[in-house]
């Protein structure tokens, strides 16, 4: 009678019997392999399905999350530019004598008919009509004339204007005598501003080639929604606009526009010395997709100036039809932003993929170790290697494929997006890895005879990895990151992973030596637990000469990618804060209205707020002139401030730092704060541009109010916190001596402060101290709000979310790698502990032995990962441009920050330690008890 095969613990192996025909079901038939195998080890099947489900879910969700983030970033970028910038504007000279509403509509239909393939018109629909080329000055003396300039009136015809506005008085324009005034409808707000009512006749001036013409207000309307896209880009149709004339000084005047009826189309040319028909087609940005952006850009380029434009000119019989749009330019900017952020956003997912691959390899190795005797028994009893591997594939398919399908479906449901290719490819690749990992390991186990280690082959492989890593790092440092337009940079993504792989190989070489030395040191001391644990950590398990390198690589990959990515995000946050400080001029700025000054009580209240470290009031003048330069006279910006506080502000902000002692002493060597004599020139700091045209000596400074000062240059500064940028001529004067000569310079119009100041408290202080007549005219800006505005871009938020999700996934897979390593060594460790228990080993000593064996590798890996992450930042940082993630142009380069790297390493070290403690506490005692009951069968 043939006995069924047994597993290493002595229980019958029904799967082996089923595979060789010894297991009989009802009627003498062989039991199916897969069913028998799953029944004999249900927990292993559930764990394999769970691992495949999680990995495939992450793989399928990643490209969909990236696609959704890219689409959202593109649409937000375009929407922020406004509908005028995201529209197609077609214009043509009005056709005198042939102008009609139907003809305008036919051109509109022809324009709309050529959209809809890659892009479409927004639901708001096109806006079209005709407009007088020039606005006319109104001659009515009763109309308001700010600064003595008469108001201007534009005339337009708008199709379907009544659908977007409601009539509040009179009627819509129509009819009228060809020789009489042009009937027009005016907005109610413009009529109130100009003092016009229904029945008013607006006269115009005659001069040059224009003839007198008048317009009669026959109706007043109110826009249903002034923010409606319909009114975008149209000249002052919903209210009167106050504008300034060119020149110095600028003069203010009012300008508005009025609507004419269909029968007034022919009179627009007389009003504006010509008329122009227009059709504005707002593009539906909600339908645009980042992956189709190049194709859409090509279509719109053809629409603007290409074959589509030529076809439209022939179809509409308008040879002068012109189409303009900012969309091609905006598409280039959006594409450049997306490609600049892609390499930085891909580092985290690449790390997760590497750690997940290591985990699958570890799981396959663990399964092969547990089932090695079963597989060899099948081979010895007549099974072929191909047949056995085929059965293992079938066994894996039953658990992996349903989990993969379910995970892919869940990812597509949670993250809807119209793109499927990347999702299916990623899910398929992970499914294939999960399905083939164990069969490939089994095939290698069954086809190769037991051979000793091959140190030469391993050394050659390690040298190849080191060479590839050195080449990748050298290439990235020499050429920098791939320029915009070339897409994802594979070298920048692969270089940190290659560095982590090199670190794992080096650590695998060093760890046995170092831990072995610690074991020998522990052997000289009393006690057996430390020596045994360290000795097992140094040599590995299962008769190996060294520990497995896979757990080291998994932990190093997790720590390296996490540390490197968190350093990038930390640098992005620091870059935003620097840009915000440069923009604001500090952490807080209070600005008075133009020509005004800050009340002293406002400055005192703001300076007394909690968190203020340095504060300074600044008086500025942008219309000053320096006489005596090489150019004769040079227009400059004058800054008057207290030297010490202003120097501290400039140093903190990082723009225009200088030594306060240069201008803090009195002019001419007198006591601080007062000039030595009335004729002594004031010490001044010149900007570098002004210093180039100033040959030396004293100069005459003329302020905008007519005051004059004598100044001498005592130093050079590069910019000022009070003004953005470093260009322009600049003069910095000390407040004390300058105020003594020109008292009005002692009333600052700007206040700057540094420190952690609450913006809400600043605004409250400004409201409480502002004069009633100027309430609401003082502006408050904070660096925190400016930095938050820079970071509100969906492109940056998507990259940050993707990175932190990748860090969490990598940490989870790294913990799983540690647990799999512990499980792989559990049988041998349990046997050892059982023997030691019979010799009097206490349970807590067994617990210490497990920790001593498992923790050195995990802690060494986290420490090595921190070092590798720091090396990656030092080696790759100089080539990285973070401008796309910061939201503004910043210098290229990435500096090493210890805190982000240590936070990632210590966090993962704590998680690994907790996992080891939990595994030792939960499974250690149960395994020992099992060994004591079953006896040693090894």
């Amino acid at each position: 009678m043939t006995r069924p095969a047994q597993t290493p613990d002595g229980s019958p192996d029904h799967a082996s019997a089923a595979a060789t025909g010894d297991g009989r079901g009802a009627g003498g038939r062989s039991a199916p392999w897969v069913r028998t195998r799953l029944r004999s080890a249900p927990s292993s099947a559930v764990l394999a399905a769970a691992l495949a489900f999680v990995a495939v879910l992450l793989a399928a969700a990643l490209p969909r999350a990236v696609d959704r983030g890219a689409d959202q970033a593109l649409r937000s970028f375009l929407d922020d530019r406004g509908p005028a910038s995201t529209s197609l504007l077609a214009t043509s000279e009005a056709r005198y004598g042939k102008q009609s509403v139907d003809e305008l509509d036919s051109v509109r239909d022809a324009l709309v008919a050529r959209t809809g393939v890659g892009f479409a018109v927004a639901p708001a629909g096109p806006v079209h009509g005709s407009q007088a080329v020039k606005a006319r000055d109104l001659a009515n003396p009763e109309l308001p004339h700010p600064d003595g300039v008469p108001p201007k009136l534009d005339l337009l015809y708008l199709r379907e204007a009544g659908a977007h506005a409601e009539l509040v008085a009179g009627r819509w324009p129509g009819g009228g005598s060809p020789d009489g005034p042009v009937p027009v409808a005016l907005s109610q707000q413009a009529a109130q501003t100009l003092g016009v009512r229904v029945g008013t006749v607006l006269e115009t001036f005659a001069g040059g080639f224009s003839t007198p013409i008048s317009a009669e207000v026959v109706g007043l309307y109110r826009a249903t929604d002034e923010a409606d896209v319909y009114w975008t880009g149209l000249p002052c149709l919903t209210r009167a606009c106050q504008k300034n004339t060119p020149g110095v000084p600028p003069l203010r005047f009012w300008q508005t526009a009025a609507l004419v009826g269909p029968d007034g189309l022919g009179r627009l040319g007389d009003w504006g010395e010509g008329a122009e028909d227009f059709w504005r087609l707002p593009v539906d940005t909600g339908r645009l997709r980042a992956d189709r952006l190049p194709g859409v850009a090509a279509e719109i380029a053809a629409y603007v100036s290409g074959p589509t434009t030529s076809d439209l000119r022939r179809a509409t019989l308008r040879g002068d039809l012109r189409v303009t749009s900012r969309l091609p330019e905006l598409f280039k900017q959006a594409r450049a932003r997306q490609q600049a952020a892609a390499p930085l956003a891909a580092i985290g997912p690449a790390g997760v993929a590497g750690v997940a691959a290591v985990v699958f390899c570890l799981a396959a190795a663990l399964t092969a170790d547990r089932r090695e005797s079963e597989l060899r028994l099948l081979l010895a009893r007549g099974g072929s290697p191909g047949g056995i591997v085929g059965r293992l594939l079938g066994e894996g398919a039953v658990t992996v494929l349903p989990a993969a399908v379910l995970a892919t479906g869940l990812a597509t449901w949670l993250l809807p997006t119209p793109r499927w290719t990347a999702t299916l490819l990623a899910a398929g690749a992970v499914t294939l890895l999960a399905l083939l990992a164990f069969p490939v390991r089994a095939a290698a186990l069954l086809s190769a005879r037991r051979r000793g280690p091959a140190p030469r082959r391993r050394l050659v492989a390690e040298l190849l990895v080191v060479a590839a890593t050195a080449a990748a790092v050298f290439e990235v440092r020499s050429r920098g990151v791939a320029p915009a337009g070339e897409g994802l940079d594979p070298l920048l993504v692969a270089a940190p992973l290659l560095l982590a792989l090199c670190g794992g190989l080096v650590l695998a070489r060093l760890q046995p030596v170092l831990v072995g030395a610690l074991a020998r040191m522990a052997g000289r001391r009393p006690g057996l637990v430390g020596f045994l644990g360290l000795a097992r950590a140094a040599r590995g398990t299962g008769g190996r000469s060294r520990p497995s390198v896979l757990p080291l690589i998994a932990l190093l990959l997790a720590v390296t990618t996490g540390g490197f990515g968190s350093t990038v995000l930390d640098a992005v946050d620091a870059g935003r804060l620097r840009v915000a400080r440069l923009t604001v001029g500090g952490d807080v700025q209070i600005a008075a209205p133009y020509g005004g000054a800050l009340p002293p009580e406002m400055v005192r209240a703001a300076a007394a707020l909690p968190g203020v470290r340095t504060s300074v009031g600044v008086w500025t003048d942008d219309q000053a002139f320096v006489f005596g330069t090489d150019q004769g006279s040079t227009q400059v910006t004058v800054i008057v401030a207290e030297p010490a506080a202003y120097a501290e502000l400039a140093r903190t902000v990082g723009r225009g730092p200088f030594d306060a002692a240069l201008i803090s002493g009195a002019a001419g060597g007198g006591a601080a704060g007062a000039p030595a004599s009335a004729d002594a020139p004031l010490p001044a700091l010149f900007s570098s541009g002004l210093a180039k045209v100033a040959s030396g000596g004293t100069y005459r400074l003329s302020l905008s109010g007519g005051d004059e000062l004598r100044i001498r240059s005592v130093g050079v500064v590069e910019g000022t916190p009070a003004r953005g940028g470093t260009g322009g001529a600049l003069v910095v004067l000390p407040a004390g001596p300058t105020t003594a000569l020109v008292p009005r310079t002692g009333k600052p119009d700007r206040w700057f402060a540094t420190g952690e100041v609450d913006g809400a408290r600043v605004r409250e202080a400004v409201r409480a101290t502002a004069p009633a007549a100027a309430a609401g005219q003082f502006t408050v800006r904070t660096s925190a709000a400016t930095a938050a505005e820079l970071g509100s871009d969906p492109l940056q938020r998507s990259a940050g979310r993707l990175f932190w999700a990748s860090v969490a996934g990598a940490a989870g897979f790294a913990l799983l790698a540690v647990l799999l390593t512990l499980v792989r060594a559990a049988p041998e460790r349990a046997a050892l502990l059982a023997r030691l228990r019979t010799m009097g080993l206490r349970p807590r000593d067994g617990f210490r032995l497990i920790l001593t064996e498992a923790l050195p590798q995990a802690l060494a890996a986290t420490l090595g990962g921190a070092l590798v992450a720091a090396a990656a930042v030092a080696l790759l940082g100089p080539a990285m441009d973070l401008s796309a993630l910061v939201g503004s142009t910043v210098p290229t380069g990435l500096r090493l920050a210890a805190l982000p790297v240590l936070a990632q390493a210590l966090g993962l070290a704590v998680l690994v330690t907790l996992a080891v403690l939990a595994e030792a506490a939960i499974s250690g005692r149960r395994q020992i008890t099992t060994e004591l009951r079953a006896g040693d069968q090894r």
Side-chain angles (χ1 to χ4, degrees):
M1 180 177 179
T2 304
R3 297 179 59 188
Q6 293 182 339
T7 59
D9 62 1
S11 60
D13 190 345
H14 300 290
S16 300
T20 57
D22 290 340
R24 302 290 178 181
R29 292 174 298 175
S30 298
W33 164 277
V34 174
R35 185 185 67 188
T36 306
R37 182 70 247 176
L38 295 180
R39 284 181 175 179
S40 63
S43 59
S44 299
V46 171
L47 291 176
L51 178 59
F53 176 84
V54 173
V56 174
L57 178 63
L58 291 177
L62 174 63
R64 303 184 73 81
V66 171
D67 289 343
R68 287 167 58 87
D71 290 347
Q72 184 181 6
L74 170 64
R75 294 161 186 167
S76 176
F77 174 76
L78 295 177
D79 291 342
D80 290 343
R81 275 34 185 196
S85 298
T86 57
S87 298
L88 299 168
L89 179 62
T91 57
S92 176
E93 186 177 349
R95 310 180 73 176
Y96 295 105
K98 300 180 182 180
Q99 193 78 322
S100 68
V101 174
D102 294 338
E103 209 261 340
L104 293 176
D105 292 345
S106 66
V107 176
R108 175 203 60 190
D109 296 339
L111 292 171
V112 173
R114 297 305 299 263
T115 64
V117 180
F119 66 97
V121 178
V127 179
H128 67 289
S130 189
Q131 178 180 0
V133 172
K134 295 181 180 180
R136 283 223 177 194
D137 294 336
L138 299 180
N140 301 59
E142 70 274 10
L143 299 180
H145 291 62
D147 295 339
V149 180
K152 293 179 179 292
L153 180 66
D154 255 321
L155 290 189
L156 293 91
Y157 168 74
L158 275 182
R159 194 79 166 99
E160 300 178 353
H164 299 270
E166 57 181 350
L167 198 64
V168 295
R171 60 180 176 84
W172 289 109
S177 171
D179 299 327
V182 181
V184 299
L186 197 65
S187 70
Q188 185 182 35
Q189 294 186 14
Q192 292 174 352
T193 302
L194 300 179
V196 173
R197 60 181 182 271
V198 174
T200 301
V201 177
L202 302 174
E203 303 291 344
T204 63
F205 294 98
F209 295 100
S210 62
T211 58
I213 189 172
S214 59
E216 181 183 1
V217 180
V218 298
L220 301 179
Y221 65 87
R222 179 176 59 245
T224 306
D225 180 10
E226 292 189 20
D228 190 351
V229 178
Y230 181 85
W231 304 105
T232 300
L234 299 176
C236 306
L237 269 175
T238 60
R239 61 179 64 241
C241 307
Q242 190 174 81
K243 297 188 176 182
N244 297 322
T245 61
V248 179
L251 302 178
R252 297 171 299 159
F253 67 93
W254 290 105
Q255 181 168 344
T256 189
L259 296 175
V260 302
D263 51 0
L265 281 170
R267 306 190 67 180
L268 293 178
D270 297 333
W271 182 275
E273 298 181 10
E276 185 178 63
D277 300 334
F278 64 90
W279 300 264
R280 180 165 55 82
L281 279 64
V283 174
D284 188 1
T285 58
R287 293 181 53 182
L288 297 179
R289 289 166 41 180
D291 63 319
R292 295 183 177 177
L293 194 58
V296 176
E299 289 187 33
I300 289 185
Y303 202 105
V304 171
S305 58
T308 306
T309 307
S310 301
D311 295 342
L312 288 172
R313 287 172 180 170
R314 289 191 295 268
T316 59
L317 301 178
R318 288 180 178 249
D320 64 336
L321 185 69
R322 300 175 301 277
V323 182
T324 59
S325 178
R326 285 197 61 205
L327 279 173
E329 174 191 352
L330 294 178
F331 285 165
K332 289 181 181 179
Q333 296 176 9
R335 186 71 174 169
R337 294 170 70 251
Q338 180 183 351
Q339 291 172 339
L344 306 178
I347 293 175
V352 176
V355 179
V358 172
V359 169
F360 277 114
C361 294
L362 271 175
L366 173 62
T367 307
D369 286 350
R370 288 297 182 90
R371 298 179 61 178
E372 181 177 1
S373 59
E374 171 196 340
L375 298 177
R376 292 194 178 279
L377 178 60
L378 293 175
L379 187 65
R381 300 185 68 174
S384 65
I388 297 174
V389 171
R391 289 180 181 270
L392 295 179
L393 281 173
E395 175 187 333
V398 173
T399 56
V400 171
L401 292 183
V405 171
L406 181 61
T408 305
L410 181 61
T412 57
W413 178 68
L414 292 176
L415 299 170
T417 180
R419 294 180 283 283
W420 289 84
T421 304
T423 298
L424 296 180
L425 288 177
V430 175
T431 302
L432 199 62
L433 177 61
L435 189 61
L436 296 180
F438 175 52
V440 170
R441 175 74 175 180
L445 188 67
L446 296 175
S447 61
R449 293 179 297 175
R450 288 285 189 179
R451 292 182 293 182
R456 290 185 179 179
R457 290 197 299 273
R458 177 180 177 181
L459 180 60
V460 170
E462 291 174 348
L463 290 177
L464 288 176
V465 172
V466 172
T469 305
V473 172
F474 175 78
E475 183 68 14
V476 171
R477 286 183 62 91
S478 61
R479 66 156 173 80
V481 180
E486 294 188 8
L488 188 65
D489 189 350
L491 279 180
L492 183 62
V493 176
L497 305 184
L498 289 174
L499 286 171
L501 181 58
C502 284
L505 297 177
V506 171
L507 191 59
R509 291 279 186 179
L510 294 179
Q511 182 192 344
V513 178
L514 297 178
V515 178
L518 292 177
R520 289 191 294 273
M521 293 174 59
R524 300 189 187 101
R525 304 185 63 178
L528 187 64
V529 174
F531 170 73
L532 283 178
L534 292 174
R536 287 175 56 82
R539 69 174 177 82
T541 59
R544 299 175 181 84
S545 60
R546 58 178 62 88
S548 174
V549 71
L550 291 179
L552 286 173
I553 293 176
L555 289 171
L556 277 167
L557 282 173
V559 177
T560 301
T561 55
F564 186 80
S566 59
T567 302
V568 170
L569 294 186
D570 182 75
V572 168
D573 291 338
R576 287 199 193 113
L577 182 58
R578 285 195 299 271
V579 171
R581 276 186 164 181
L582 291 174
T583 303
V584 174
D587 291 318
V588 182
Q589 177 193 140
I590 303 176
Y594 182 78
L598 299 176
E601 55 272 17
M602 181 183 295
V603 174
R604 288 192 296 268
L609 291 174
V612 174
R613 290 196 301 266
T614 301
S615 67
V616 57
V618 174
W619 183 86
T620 62
D621 186 356
D622 295 324
Q623 302 295 327
F625 287 85
V626 172
F627 294 92
T629 63
D630 296 343
Q631 300 172 347
S633 65
T634 303
Q635 185 174 354
V636 298
T637 295
V638 176
I639 303 294
V640 179
E642 197 279 319
Y646 178 75
E648 179 63 20
L649 174 71
R651 184 194 64 80
T652 304
V653 173
R655 174 176 287 161
F658 66 95
D659 184 4
L662 292 174
I663 58 173
S664 60
S677 65
D679 296 331
L682 293 174
L685 299 174
F686 283 12
S687 62
S688 57
L690 179 61
K692 291 179 181 178
V693 298
S695 56
T698 61
Y699 306 89
R700 182 165 56 91
L701 175 64
S702 176
L703 302 179
S704 59
D707 299 292
E708 290 192 356
L709 297 170
R710 295 181 64 230
I711 61 174
R712 59 185 177 88
S713 175
V714 296
V716 177
V717 292
E718 296 292 343
T720 172
R723 290 291 184 271
T726 57
L730 175 70
V731 174
V732 179
L733 297 175
T738 305
T739 303
L741 298 175
V742 183
R744 64 189 177 93
T745 61
K747 299 177 180 179
D749 55 8
R750 298 284 190 278
W751 179 80
F752 300 91
T754 61
E756 298 180 359
V757 187
D758 186 0
R761 289 191 174 186
V762 177
R763 294 181 179 88
E764 182 180 351
V766 169
R767 286 193 298 268
T769 56
Q777 298 183 15
F778 296 90
T779 59
V780 178
R781 301 178 67 187
T782 64
S783 60
T786 305
E789 183 179 353
L790 288 173
S792 63
D793 188 347
L795 181 69
Q796 303 165 21
R797 294 200 304 267
S798 175
R801 289 194 301 265
L802 184 63
F803 167 73
W804 288 117
S806 300
V807 167
F813 279 117
L815 287 178
L816 185 57
V818 173
L819 294 177
L820 288 175
T821 305
L822 294 174
V823 172
R824 188 178 185 184
E828 183 180 350
R829 183 176 63 237
L832 173 64
L833 292 176
R835 297 189 192 103
L836 294 176
R837 179 71 72 85
T838 60
M839 299 177 187
L841 183 74
R842 293 176 298 178
R844 64 179 182 182
D845 290 332
F847 186 76
R848 289 171 50 203
L849 178 62
I850 296 175
L851 296 182
T852 308
E853 175 187 344
L855 286 181
Q857 185 184 45
L859 297 180
T862 53
L863 177 60
L867 295 177
V868 174
V873 173
L875 293 173
L876 305 176
M880 302 191 67
D881 186 2
L882 305 179
S883 299
L885 295 182
V886 171
S888 179
T889 302
V890 295
T892 301
L894 177 64
R895 294 183 179 180
L896 176 63
L899 183 60
V901 176
L902 290 179
Q904 295 293 319
L906 294 178
L908 190 56
V910 170
L911 291 177
V912 169
T913 303
L914 293 176
V916 172
L917 291 172
E919 198 276 340
I922 295 174
S923 63
R925 179 170 299 182
R926 185 176 57 203
Q927 292 170 350
I928 295 172
T929 304
T930 303
E931 288 289 335
L932 290 174
R933 289 178 178 176
D936 187 8
Q937 307 235 358
R938 293 167 177 78

